[in-house]
Amino acid sequence: LGQAKGFEQALRSYVESCLAGPDCPLTGSVDEAVAQVQELIRTVEGSPPTAQDGRLVPVTTFVTGLITPLYDDASWPALTQALASALRGDPTDMLWLADITAQRDENGHYTGNTSFAFTAVNCLDYPMDADLPAMRRQAAELEEASPTFGRYLAYGATTCQNWPHKPVREPAPVRAEGAAPIVVIGTTGDPATPYEWAESLADSLSSASLVTFKGEGHTAYPRGGRCIQDVVDSYFVDGT
């Protein structure tokens, strides 16, 4: 739910920036431009397009490509280019962005095991409830929080239904009593690990300090410049 809200806000931040530039394929107000993106997604879902290499681009792949550049505002120009092409009926650039996330190279080879690793970690992290009525309620809540992305973030528990290794712990507060000072860093515009999570973590740890990067995208080091780098480097190198 936090990510649903985060990615919806990240899209709005991107759209606002895009509309202020010279080459934005979207028009009107932020609300109107976001609605254009949503209509584009519905069009892809109803009639999946074909990329220049002959691959069909289903809506889940298209949305993956759309989400990928929202992790880093330095990638927003690539999203603008991909949206411009997709609005003309060519999903090739959006597929390329999705391939980056999937670690798929131009020859069709996968260069890493990120998808498998995410499944292993997430399914062990905490118990998942794959009860269908519960997931449907969650899906409605996600879609309300994020009209653009919410429905594509739903039903995640089904991934772990047949995973052979069961979680061994229940989530619980961690205070780390007696630990040396801990530095927690949060980015205000982070869609993947929302800033509220950093605040909550820092509040729960008994010896934590929260460092805030006011910016867009996922993570802060080294994206946050010297302001963040100096704090982190001095903490790890000098123990400050």
Side-chain angles (χ1 to χ4, degrees), residues 27-28 34 54-55 61 117 119 122 146 157 169 175 211-212 223 231 234:
T27 58
V34 169
R55 294 158 64 197
T61 301
T119 300
N122 286 338
S146 173
R169 294 194 178 102
R175 292 198 50 78
V211 178
T212 300
R223 294 176 55 252
V231 170
S234 63

Side-chain angles (χ1 to χ4, degrees), residues 125-127 169-173:
D125 246 1
Y126 52 87
R169 294 194 178 102
E170 294 278 347

Side-chain angles (χ1 to χ4, degrees), residues 37-217:
V37 174
Q38 293 167 354
E39 178 59 30
L40 175 61
I41 293 172
R42 284 191 291 269
T43 299
V44 171
E45 184 168 17
S47 181
T50 301
Q52 292 176 15
D53 65 358
R55 294 158 64 197
L56 198 67
V57 183
V59 68
T60 49
T61 301
F62 188 88
V63 170
T64 297
L66 180 58
I67 282 177
T68 297
L70 297 180
Y71 278 82
D72 187 350
D73 54 353
S75 299
W76 285 1
L79 179 54
T80 297
Q81 180 178 327
L83 279 172
S85 297
L87 287 165
R88 295 193 300 267
D90 183 0
T92 300
D93 291 334
M94 203 68 79
L95 179 60
W96 174 73
L97 290 168
D99 281 345
I100 291 174
T101 294
Q103 296 182 298
R104 183 187 191 279
D105 66 22
E106 59 186 12
N107 298 314
H109 300 135
Y110 291 86
T111 59
N113 70 338
T114 298
S115 295
F116 296 111
F118 264 110
T119 300
V121 171
N122 286 338
C123 294
L124 283 173
D125 246 1
Y126 52 87
M128 301 261 187
D129 183 6
D131 175 69
L132 187 56
M135 287 194 297
R136 283 178 173 153
R137 289 193 298 270
Q138 292 167 355
E141 191 176 2
L142 288 167
E143 194 159 0
E144 182 179 0
S146 173
T148 308
F149 302 116
R151 64 182 302 190
Y152 304 104
L153 300 175
Y155 300 98
T158 57
T159 305
C160 298
Q161 255 186 311
N162 298 311
W163 187 250
H165 306 286
K166 303 304 177 185
V168 294
R169 294 194 178 102
E170 294 278 347
V174 176
R175 292 198 50 78
E177 296 283 359
I182 297 172
V183 175
V184 177
I185 306 172
T187 301
T188 54
D190 190 330
T193 50
Y195 182 68
E196 292 77 12
W197 295 3
E199 290 182 305
S200 176
L201 177 61
D203 285 343
S204 67
L205 295 170
S206 61
S207 63
S209 296
L210 175 62
V211 178
T212 300
F213 171 43
K214 294 181 179 179
E216 301 293 334

